[in-house]
Amino acid sequence: MTDRDTTPAIEFRGVVKRFGDNTVLDGLDFTVAKGDRVTLIGPSGSGKTTILRLLMTLEESNGGLILIDGEPYTHEMRGGKRVAVPEKRRRQVRRRVGMVFQQFNLFPNMSVLENIIEAPVHVLGLSTAQAVVRAEELLEQVGLADKRDARCTQLSGGQQQRVAIARALAMDPEILLLDEVTSALDPEIVADVLGVLREVAETTDITMLIVTHEMQFARDVSNRVLMFDHGRIIEEAEPEVIFTAPREERTQQFLSAVLGEDTADRS
Amino acid sequence: MSDNLQTLGDALPRLGDAVLVTLQLTLGGAALAFVLALLLGFGSRSHRGAVRVPSRVVVEFFRGTSLIVQMFWLFYVLPVFGFRLESLACGVLALGLNYGAYGAEVVRGSINSVPAGQWEASTALNLGHVHRLRRVIFPQAWALMIPMFTNLLIQLLKGSALATYILLHDLNYFTEQLRRSTQDTFFSFTFGLLVYFAIAYLLTLVMNALEVRAKNRLGAGPTLREVLRIAPVPATAKAGAA
Ligand SMILES: Nc1ncnc2c1ncn2[C@@H]1O[C@H](COP(=O)(O)OP(=O)(O)OP(=O)(O)O)[C@@H](O)[C@H]1O
Ligand SMILES: [Mg+2]
C-alpha cells in the first residue's frame, strides 16, 4: 500500500460545534478510510446531521480541524492559530464531496436533466453534450430514463430522490453524504431508493457516510457503524457485531427502540 | 352632459398627450425602480458592510420620506446646487427612488424566502455564489416578487399624479383642466378615475401574465398559453393542470 491509500478520506480532529450555549460536538475525533461505508446511528439530537452538515460546509465548526484526504478543509493551523480556509480553497476540496438530502432539494425551475447537468457543466466545465451523455447514463441507472425532460414537480417523492442521487453522482464525488434520504418517503417506495443506493455501493468505490433509520440497509451496505450519543462516539463496530451483540447498554437500548423488541436480531 | 362630451371631444388630442406623460412617468419610474430594487435589495443582503450599510440607508431614507417632497426637492432645490432637471426627469427620478426603495424590500424578502434547502443543495453541488443566485435562487424568488411588484406598480401609477405639481401635463392635470372647462366636478373627476383605472387594469393584466409565466417555469400552474386560451388546450395538458 502506498501512503496515499492509507490517508483517511475524512478525518475529524477535536471538532467542536456549538449552537449558542448548546455544545453539540465537544472535541469529536474520528476517521473514515477511503472507500469505507460508515453508518452513523444514535438518538435524535445526538449530532449526526450536524456532522454531515459540517462536511458539506453548511455549518461552521467552532473548534478543531476537518481534513479531507489529509488536506485542511474548513480550517487550518497557521502559526499555532486556527484560521478559516478561504472559500476558494474550500471549493476545491468540496468538489470531492457530494450530499443527498432528506428533502431532495431539486431545483424546481429546472427539468430533471437540467438539474443533473447544471453543476457538471458550470462547475466541472464539461461540455453540455458530455454532461448530457453522463446524465442519461445516471438516469438509466436510477431507473428514470423516461423522465429526462420532466419537471421535478411532476415526480413522486421517490423519483425526486432518485434524481437527487443521480445529480450528486454526476459530480463524481469521492465522498457521498446521505442524511436520512428515505425519511420523507412513503414506505412502499423506500425500497426503490435504497435499491439504487445499494447498487451505487456495489458498483463504485465512493466513500459513504450514511445517516439512516433503515437498519437492514445499514447492515447490508456499511462496513462500519458508529453509535453516537450526545455528540460522542460511544461504540464503533462492524454492522454484524453492533446489530447482534452491542457492547454498550446505551446502544442496546437504542437498537431495541429502533428495531422493536420482536426483531429477529434481538431474539 | 352633451356639452361635457363636446368639451371632452375637443380635448381628446390633449388627453392622448396627458396619458402619454402619465405612461412615461409610470414606465420610466418603474424601470428605474426595478433596477434600484435589484441593486439595493441584493446590496441589503451583502456580507460586506461597505455594501450593505449604504444600501440600507438609501432604502430607509427613500421609503421614509414623502414622494411629493422628494419631487419638490429634485425640482426646486437641486437647481440651487446648479443641477437643473426637466420636470419629467424629476418625476421619473423621484418615483424610481421612492418605489425602488420599497421594491428593494420586496427583492430582499423574496430572496430570503427561497427555502434554505435550495441554497444548501447549491452549496453541495459547489455552485459559485453568483451562479447560485442567478440560476437557482433568483428564478424562484422572481415568482414571489411579481405579485408584490404588481402592487407597487399600481401605486406608482397613482403616485405619478403628483407630477402635476411639478408642472407636468399628465392625466391628473388633464382632469383638472377638464373640470375647469366643463365646470362639472362630478363628470371630470369620474372621467379621470376611469382612465386611471383603465391604465391600472392594463398594467395588472401584463403583470399577471408575467406571474403566470414565472410560476409555470417553476412547474406550478398552467402555461400562459393555456391561460390565454390562444391555442386549444390539448387534453393531456388539461388533465395535468387539473
Ligand atoms: N440550526 C440549529 N440551530 C440550533 N440548534 C441546532 C441547529 N441544528 C441542530 N441543532 C441542535 O444540535 C443538536 C444536534 O442536532 P442534529 O440535527 O445533528 O441531530 P441528529 O442526530 O441529526 O438528530 P435526528 O436523528 O433527530 O435527525 C440538537 O440538539 C439540535 O437541537
Ligand atoms: Mg438528523
Side-chain angles (χ1 to χ4, degrees):
Chain A
M1 265 205 223
T2 66
D3 267 0
R4 207 185 125 66
D5 287 330
T6 54
T7 311
I10 302 169
E11 181 174 359
F12 273 52
R13 268 191 213 158
V15 172
V16 177
K17 176 60 191 170
R18 281 185 291 267
F19 291 104
D21 293 342
N22 179 8
T23 302
V24 178
L25 305 178
D26 191 9
L28 177 68
D29 294 304
F30 77 97
T31 59
V32 176
K34 287 204 173 77
D36 258 9
R37 276 58 193 268
V38 176
T39 298
L40 311 183
I41 60 171
S44 181
S46 58
K48 307 177 298 289
T49 294
T50 302
I51 290 167
L52 299 197
R53 290 175 60 84
L54 284 168
L55 279 167
M56 205 65 260
T57 66
L58 301 175
E59 303 285 357
E60 279 287 291
S61 60
N62 304 104
L65 298 180
I66 300 173
L67 307 164
I68 301 286
D69 297 333
E71 262 185 79
Y73 181 19
T74 60
H75 295 81
E76 62 190 341
M77 301 305 291
R78 230 189 276 148
K81 268 197 171 158
R82 177 178 180 271
V83 291
V85 170
E87 171 62 17
K88 204 173 160 205
R89 271 177 50 215
R90 283 186 181 193
R91 265 193 98 187
Q92 285 168 3
V93 182
R94 200 195 287 124
R95 228 191 66 60
R96 300 172 215 160
V97 187
M99 183 163 185
V100 181
F101 299 86
Q102 188 176 340
Q103 296 296 341
F104 336 129
N105 297 340
L106 294 180
F107 303 138
N109 54 317
M110 299 181 192
S111 73
V112 166
L113 185 78
E114 286 164 348
N115 261 277
I116 299 175
I117 67 172
E118 181 70 16
V121 170
H122 292 102
V123 180
L124 302 184
L126 296 192
S127 72
T128 307
Q130 287 171 314
V132 169
V133 169
R134 176 82 179 113
E136 284 172 342
E137 279 171 19
L138 287 164
L139 281 172
E140 189 77 44
Q141 189 182 334
V142 302
L144 291 173
D146 56 327
K147 298 292 184 194
R148 180 184 184 277
D149 297 310
R151 308 225 55 120
C152 309
T153 43
Q154 292 165 346
L155 302 184
S156 71
Q159 291 172 332
Q160 289 191 46
Q161 191 61 297
R162 283 185 278 156
V163 173
I165 292 167
R167 182 173 74 169
L169 291 175
M171 291 298 281
D172 274 325
E174 292 166 21
I175 299 169
L176 188 60
L177 310 172
L178 304 169
D179 190 9
E180 301 200 28
V181 296
T182 56
S183 297
L185 302 177
D186 294 334
E188 64 269 24
I189 47 182
V190 166
D192 294 347
V193 172
L194 293 183
V196 165
L197 290 174
R198 274 198 180 89
E199 197 189 315
V200 173
E202 279 160 22
T203 57
T204 70
D205 54 7
I206 299 176
T207 307
M208 292 169 120
L209 208 50
I210 304 161
V211 177
T212 183
H213 293 303
E214 301 289 334
M215 294 303 161
Q216 189 56 46
F217 173 70
R219 223 170 145 159
D220 296 348
V221 169
S222 48
N223 57 339
R224 254 170 87 209
V225 178
L226 306 182
M227 167 74 194
F228 277 83
D229 197 19
H230 297 297
R232 290 173 185 283
I233 299 170
I234 59 166
E235 183 163 1
E236 162 172 6
E238 289 170 12
E240 286 313 315
V241 176
I242 210 160
F243 287 123
T244 51
R247 193 173 24 114
E248 297 291 324
E249 201 189 322
R250 191 75 192 85
T251 314
Q252 290 166 14
Q253 287 169 354
F254 172 76
L255 286 174
S256 57
V258 183
L259 297 170
E261 294 299 342
D262 55 357
T263 315
D265 302 327
R266 311 286 311 152
S267 56
Chain B
M1 190 64 188
S2 62
D3 286 354
N4 286 344
L5 291 179
Q6 179 67 45
T7 315
L8 181 58
D10 294 343
L12 268 189
R14 278 185 288 124
L15 173 62
D17 292 343
V19 168
L20 194 64
V21 171
T22 291
L23 282 178
Q24 281 171 337
L25 282 165
T26 305
L27 298 180
L32 178 61
F34 181 62
V35 172
L36 285 175
L38 290 181
L39 290 176
L40 296 172
F42 279 107
S44 302
R45 300 187 64 267
S46 174
H47 292 295
R48 266 178 285 170
V51 176
R52 187 181 61 250
V53 174
S55 303
R56 294 303 312 161
V57 169
V58 171
V59 168
E60 293 303 339
F61 181 78
F62 284 102
R63 271 202 315 174
T65 49
S66 139
L67 178 57
I68 184 77
V69 179
Q70 287 169 14
M71 268 189 205
F72 282 158
W73 199 91
L74 290 173
F75 193 64
Y76 294 112
V77 183
L78 213 51
V80 176
F81 298 104
F83 299 100
R84 183 172 298 282
L85 292 177
E86 286 191 29
S87 292
L88 184 64
C90 287
V92 167
L93 201 56
L95 288 164
L97 286 167
N98 197 270
Y99 287 94
Y102 283 102
E105 289 296 275
V106 169
V107 170
R108 189 172 69 100
S110 305
I111 297 278
N112 289 345
S113 305
V114 175
Q118 295 291 313
W119 299 82
E120 294 179 352
S122 310
T123 302
L125 291 170
N126 222 359
L127 300 181
H129 182 65
V130 175
H131 185 89
R132 163 166 80 180
L133 277 178
R134 192 170 61 82
R135 299 273 298 185
V136 177
I137 304 300
F138 190 79
Q140 298 181 55
W142 175 233
L144 301 172
M145 284 177 209
I146 297 174
M148 292 184 272
F149 278 158
T150 306
N151 279 337
L152 286 180
L153 181 59
I154 301 307
Q155 285 178 29
L156 190 153
L157 163 68
K158 294 184 291 185
S160 76
L162 295 175
T164 300
Y165 305 111
I166 54 170
L167 314 182
L168 278 171
H169 293 187
D170 70 334
L171 184 55
N172 181 29
Y173 175 84
F174 176 87
T175 310
E176 176 60 24
Q177 292 304 304
L178 189 63
R179 187 186 67 81
R180 287 197 185 167
S181 43
T182 58
Q183 295 296 320
D184 187 336
T185 313
F186 173 79
F187 173 77
S188 46
F189 284 146
T190 307
F191 178 76
L193 286 183
L194 290 176
V195 179
Y196 271 111
F197 176 75
I199 299 174
Y201 191 69
L202 280 177
L203 292 175
T204 307
L205 284 182
V206 172
M207 292 301 284
N208 287 353
L210 283 180
E211 189 184 343
V212 166
R213 201 182 61 150
K215 287 207 171 123
N216 181 258
R217 285 189 176 172
L218 296 186
T223 63
L224 189 53
R225 201 171 271 270
E226 284 162 16
V227 170
L228 295 177
R229 299 265 182 275
I230 288 174
V233 185
T236 51
K238 249 184 207 157

